Amino acid sequence: MFDEPAIWGQILAAERFTHSTEEKGKMPTVQDILGKARAVVREVSADDVKARLDANVPLRVIDVRERDEYEQGYVPGADWVPRGFLELRIEDLCPERDTEIVLYCAGGVRSLLAARNLAELGYTNVASMSGGFRAWKNAGHPLARPRTLTGDQLKRYARHIMLPEVGEEGQARLLDAKVLCLGAGGLGSPSALYLAAAGVGTIGIVDDDVVDESNLQRQVLHNVERLGMPKAESAARTLKALNPDVEVVPHRTRLTSENVMEILAGYDLVVDGADNFPTRYLLNDAALKLGKPVIHASIFRFEGQVTTFLPDEGPCYRCLYPEPPPPGMAPSCQEAGVLGVLPGMVGTLQANEALKLILGIGRSLSGRLLVLDALETRIRELKLRKDPKCPVCSRPPEEIELVDYEAFCAIGG
């Protein structure tokens, strides 16, 4: 089966070489082709590229070598687009035609010709790194080495890898990520399933409950064969069966002021599917102390809401809810009911937020609260503001004290 993008690139190149021949019937030499390319493409040295990267000058460096070359090392921060795919992917990678771009290959020839093609596509600030990666390496500049995906991983995550915003580097970042799912219930089920399917390498599950028949209407991690089984264990079995790449760490406990710091410390971010106020307040305080993002959501009957709390960048949970509601004013799903598909819709939004944070793409929900009305099939967006007098996030992290919030929320003994 032929590689269509590679064939297309070869056809484009052949067409351009043919039309560039000055005399009909005369085949251009390699030197003719390179000479014409150098007439329209600027060449820069490896030292120049290093200096501009060190100075944080806005610069898009693109490696156009093949996979086996790229795996031997690359310029730190460079995007990898094999030569045969460059024309097809460049608009996604660099939508603005005046973006400053430096291409490099192994020795500087392929990147020179590729830069000429981009110039013909309307890119006005494209250069080729003279001497290519060999010159960069010989100059003693630092190298980065990609995490090598296996053949099975390349197949499994193919639809991710073809996205310029993800690629192999982003997929490797997902495989290296560690996400803690607080709860293996209605919200934790869809979020954990999609995080595992996406290839998040380590997923922690905090839940001290067991599977009950009433859970199965919405908690899709579990099934009738696991009634009475600890939810953390049931979740681990489901996620491992879905994706063997994923390490699932079950925590059969409730978060308390004594264990929350130890549990959260091992993860990059938290997907909050807790169903009670004491746990949410405690999670908020510990996450602020540790600088961990929290993707919060809650559901009630036919309505759900989701937002992201980023330490030092936006409001926290206590900015949103300075005080818990009076007892009885916020009944649980067990008391008020919930439409079965609602947690699936909201939990999937949480997974989406987590993937964006790991990949460093898109716009997070920090400072925004999405409110989903399942009956009206409508989503409203509310603006959230950081409270300068917040009793928690207005203080330095080291001054935040962890407490168990049962008394604060008036549900303790």
Side-chain angles (χ1 to χ4, degrees):
M1 186 173 180
F2 65 88
D3 186 344
E4 289 184 337
I7 294 295
W8 179 242
Q10 294 169 10
I11 292 173
L12 283 175
E15 289 280 347
R16 290 175 179 130
F17 293 165
T18 299
H19 290 298
S20 69
T21 308
E22 295 179 358
E23 298 181 22
K24 188 175 181 179
K26 179 183 176 182
M27 295 296 293
T29 66
V30 171
Q31 294 305 317
D32 291 334
I33 295 170
L34 294 178
K36 291 180 182 297
R38 288 192 172 97
V40 296
V41 173
R42 178 170 53 94
E43 291 187 280
V44 295
S45 70
D47 290 339
D48 290 337
V49 175
K50 175 66 164 54
R52 293 179 69 78
L53 290 175
D54 288 345
N56 293 319
V57 174
L59 180 66
R60 204 74 190 241
V61 180
I62 302 177
D63 186 328
V64 299
R65 296 174 300 160
E66 298 305 312
R67 174 184 299 279
D68 58 336
E69 299 172 293
Y70 175 73
E71 290 176 351
Q72 301 305 309
Y74 63 93
V75 174
D79 296 293
W80 175 53
V81 184
R83 176 65 193 90
F85 291 83
L86 183 63
E87 287 84 356
L88 293 179
R89 295 185 179 175
I90 190 62
E91 290 185 353
D92 291 326
L93 202 59
C94 302
E96 303 297 330
R97 292 294 201 275
D98 59 352
T99 302
E100 185 172 3
I101 302 171
V102 172
L103 306 180
Y104 73 88
C105 59
V109 174
R110 283 172 290 171
S111 60
L112 180 66
L113 300 177
R116 188 189 71 167
N117 282 7
L118 293 191
E120 292 180 5
L121 287 175
Y123 286 87
T124 59
N125 197 4
V126 186
S128 171
M129 189 166 77
S130 179
F133 186 69
R134 190 178 302 118
W136 178 275
K137 190 174 180 179
N138 290 341
H141 297 322
L143 311 179
R145 296 190 182 276
R147 172 170 174 167
T148 303
L149 303 184
T150 66
D152 287 342
Q153 288 172 332
L154 290 173
K155 292 177 183 177
R156 173 181 284 272
Y157 307 117
R159 298 302 182 271
H160 267 177
I161 292 169
M162 67 177 57
L163 294 171
E165 296 84 353
V166 182
E168 288 194 40
E169 182 180 352
Q171 187 59 54
R173 199 174 302 148
L174 291 173
L175 288 165
D176 290 336
K178 298 179 179 181
V179 175
L180 180 66
C181 290
L182 185 52
L187 291 169
S189 288
S191 56
L193 281 168
Y194 273 101
L195 291 173
V200 171
T202 302
I203 298 177
I205 304 289
V206 178
D207 202 305
D208 68 340
D209 200 1
V210 297
V211 179
D212 181 81
E213 195 168 13
S214 65
N215 302 147
L216 303 182
Q217 162 251 18
R218 64 200 178 281
Q219 299 181 16
V220 293
L221 279 172
H222 317 298
N223 59 52
V224 293
E225 296 179 356
R226 298 181 190 166
L227 295 177
M229 179 183 292
K231 286 185 180 179
E233 182 181 338
S234 174
R237 290 191 184 185
T238 300
L239 299 179
K240 288 295 292 182
L242 174 64
N243 190 348
D245 283 343
V246 178
E247 178 185 359
V248 185
V249 182
H251 301 274
R252 291 180 54 188
T253 184
R254 287 181 75 87
L255 287 188
T256 69
S257 59
E258 295 181 355
N259 66 19
V260 64
M261 295 290 284
E262 180 182 357
I263 292 176
L264 264 62
Y267 297 91
D268 303 317
L269 59 91
V270 183
V271 175
D272 175 17
D275 60 358
N276 64 86
F277 284 101
T279 300
R280 292 170 186 159
Y281 282 120
L282 177 62
L283 171 64
N284 177 74
D285 296 358
L288 287 170
K289 285 182 71 68
L290 293 170
K292 306 286 186 180
V294 173
I295 302 166
H296 164 75
S298 62
I299 51 175
F300 177 69
R301 290 171 53 83
F302 301 99
E303 185 174 280
Q305 59 184 28
V306 58
T307 187
T308 295
F309 300 122
L310 299 180
D312 300 324
E313 293 186 31
C316 75
Y317 186 74
R318 287 291 291 274
C319 296
L320 179 59
Y321 297 110
E323 303 287 339
M329 292 299 293
S332 67
C333 293
Q334 183 177 355
E335 298 165 319
V338 62
L339 186 67
V341 298
L342 178 64
M345 300 163 74
V346 177
T348 303
L349 287 172
Q350 287 184 282
N352 181 59
E353 282 292 291
L355 295 179
K356 289 191 300 179
L357 289 180
I358 295 167
L359 294 169
I361 61 175
R363 178 189 176 199
S364 82
L365 281 173
S366 178
R368 298 183 293 152
L369 179 72
L370 293 189
V371 180
L372 171 64
D373 184 334
L375 286 182
E376 297 292 331
T377 316
R378 181 179 63 174
I379 296 180
R380 292 177 293 142
E381 180 179 308
L382 306 179
K383 182 174 290 186
L384 302 181
R385 291 181 173 85
K386 188 179 181 72
D387 181 0
K389 297 181 180 180
C390 175
V392 182
C393 70
S394 64
R395 303 163 62 186
E398 62 273 11
E399 294 183 7
I400 298 174
E401 297 182 7
L402 299 181
V403 298
D404 290 314
Y405 277 93
E406 278 77 6
F408 177 73
C409 296
I411 64 171

